[in-house]
Amino acid sequence: QVQLVESGGGLVQAGGSLRLSCAASGKIFSTDSMGWYRQVPGKPRELVAAIASGDRTNYADSVTDRFTISRDNAKNTMYLQMNSLKPEDTAVYYCNARLIRGFVNYDYWGQGTQVTVSS
């Protein structure tokens, strides 16, 4: 069983920065994929950034060059450094871990952390 706990959300002015953390408990390997998603009321959850085996990363177009995803495998923790924040980045941010064990895929989610960017 894997548990994910996000932290680091809050209120920030436009142009500011925040760093989100996702602490994982349970067996997550460096080859497992992890990612950050966000959701605003009335809209589907969307991928913000993901990191996979070999630290390959991909980003939503809207956050490229502003956000950076990283992970510390020794600490079982993933991060999202968010710079130059915009009001449209306001959302609940969720941590995700996608594990493949044999022929079975497992998706785990954190409880979410609110990020609010004021104009």
Side-chain angles (χ1 to χ4, degrees):
Q1 187 71 6
V2 170
Q3 288 188 321
L4 304 173
V5 178
E6 301 101 335
S7 60
L11 173 64
V12 64
Q13 287 190 330
S17 299
L18 281 174
R19 188 195 197 204
L20 304 183
S21 299
C22 172
S25 62
K27 202 160 249 184
I28 293 185
F29 300 124
S30 60
T31 52
D32 291 321
S33 297
M34 297 187 72
W36 290 96
Y37 289 72
R38 65 188 181 188
Q39 188 170 25
V40 297
K43 291 191 175 181
R45 194 170 294 188
E46 64 171 2
L47 175 68
V48 176
I51 186 165
S53 175
D55 285 346
R56 291 177 294 114
T57 59
N58 66 285
Y59 297 90
D61 289 343
S62 59
V63 306
T64 299
D65 296 331
R66 299 189 298 122
F67 290 11
T68 303
I69 189 171
S70 62
R71 66 196 292 178
D72 184 333
N73 294 316
K75 295 182 179 180
N76 247 13
T77 302
M78 177 178 65
Y79 305 96
L80 185 68
Q81 177 66 44
M82 305 186 294
N83 299 328
S84 302
L85 282 161
K86 304 175 181 180
E88 50 264 43
D89 294 318
T90 296
V92 177
Y93 283 70
Y94 296 92
C95 170
N96 168 263
R98 183 156 295 167
L99 280 56
I100 300 175
R101 299 292 182 263
F103 297 104
V104 182
N105 294 345
Y106 299 90
D107 255 323
Y108 295 95
W109 295 92
Q111 81 288 354
T113 185
Q114 176 71 46
V115 171
T116 303
V117 184
S118 63
S119 56

